[in-house]
Amino acid sequence: MADRRRLDQPREPGRLKLPRFDPEAFGQWSEGIARFMGTAKFLVYMTVFILAWVLWNTLAPRGWQFDPYTFTFLTLILSLQASYAAPLILLAQNRQTDRDRVASDEDRRRAAAQKADTEYLAREIASLRIAVGEVATRDFLRSELTRMSEELDEAAVRRAKLERKKAKKTALDEPVEEDDLNPDDDPPRRRARSAR
């Protein structure tokens, strides 16, 4: 064993050093005893032991009885058992309380993490809803395509009218003016028409 004395502190004379023990191992041992004492098996064993004790000390011959009628020794054993059982049960309860505290801290941490995750997901869903609100829907695209096709149909009708008007002018041998040409026509067509 290493020398645990320090030079900067005075020695304590006559101090009795008790043996050290592992509190975790002792706690597990005490919990095992407390668990066993809380079972029906312990109650049955204890009842059988006390009945055997009482029957032996009342029905056995006088010379064989070791604890006569008032059962003083049995009372001493039972009080000794109770005096040890109470602290062992309290120690087991303290350890269970510590475990419950650790479990509740862990539950609180998990709940906080789940709350943070839920809030993050709620923000993401809200931003997706906003983004989807700005995205073109199928109905919007349909209406825009319908409007554009109507505009193209109107442009085709105007172009057809201009073509008819131009055809009438060329039939009468009138010169074609630039203003009468459709601005939507492409230049190669214009040149081909003017070349005729």
Side-chain angles (χ1 to χ4, degrees):
M1 183 180 257
D3 191 11
R4 296 186 184 272
R5 289 179 290 171
R6 293 178 49 175
L7 295 176
D8 60 341
Q9 294 178 351
R11 272 189 358 187
E12 296 178 21
R15 182 174 173 202
L16 179 65
K17 291 189 178 182
L18 296 174
R20 297 189 179 269
F21 61 91
D22 182 16
E24 185 64 27
F26 185 75
Q28 289 175 354
W29 177 74
S30 67
E31 279 183 339
I33 291 174
R35 274 196 201 98
F36 177 69
M37 290 177 78
T39 61
K41 186 188 284 189
F42 174 76
L43 289 175
V44 169
Y45 288 165
M46 198 67 188
T47 304
V48 168
F49 175 75
I50 291 171
L51 283 174
W53 186 287
V54 169
L55 289 174
W56 180 267
N57 286 305
T58 53
L59 300 177
R62 250 304 161 217
W64 291 3
Q65 294 177 0
F66 55 88
D67 191 18
Y69 167 65
T70 56
F71 309 118
T72 310
F73 190 51
L74 177 64
T75 307
L76 177 66
I77 290 174
L78 292 177
S79 63
L80 184 66
Q81 176 199 350
S83 67
Y84 275 99
L88 288 174
I89 291 169
L90 287 174
L91 181 61
Q93 285 178 344
N94 287 342
R95 286 173 54 86
Q96 185 61 43
T97 303
D98 292 342
R99 277 196 298 272
D100 291 343
R101 186 179 312 115
V102 168
S104 66
D105 289 345
E106 182 66 20
D107 290 344
R108 210 172 300 126
R109 187 192 63 76
R110 283 185 185 161
Q114 287 177 346
K115 182 180 178 186
D117 290 345
T118 304
E119 288 174 354
Y120 171 75
L121 289 174
R123 285 193 303 271
E124 287 297 311
I125 289 172
S127 66
L128 284 174
R129 282 184 179 168
I130 290 170
V132 165
E134 295 172 358
V135 171
T137 62
R138 188 177 357 177
D139 295 334
F140 174 74
L141 286 175
R142 242 184 229 140
S143 65
E144 286 298 306
L145 287 173
T146 305
R147 187 181 58 79
M148 288 176 68
S149 70
E150 288 171 358
E151 287 177 2
L152 287 173
D153 289 343
E154 289 173 9
V157 167
R158 278 187 303 218
R159 202 172 293 125
K161 283 182 184 177
L162 279 174
E163 290 290 327
R164 275 185 260 136
K165 194 176 189 183
K166 208 166 52 165
K168 279 183 187 177
K169 283 186 180 181
T170 48
L172 297 174
D173 290 319
E174 293 179 349
V176 177
E177 297 178 9
E178 283 292 319
D179 293 339
D180 291 339
L181 290 177
N182 187 1
D184 293 334
D185 284 347
D186 56 341
R189 282 188 185 168
R190 276 190 231 151
R191 270 186 255 128
R193 285 187 197 131
S194 61
R196 279 190 239 156

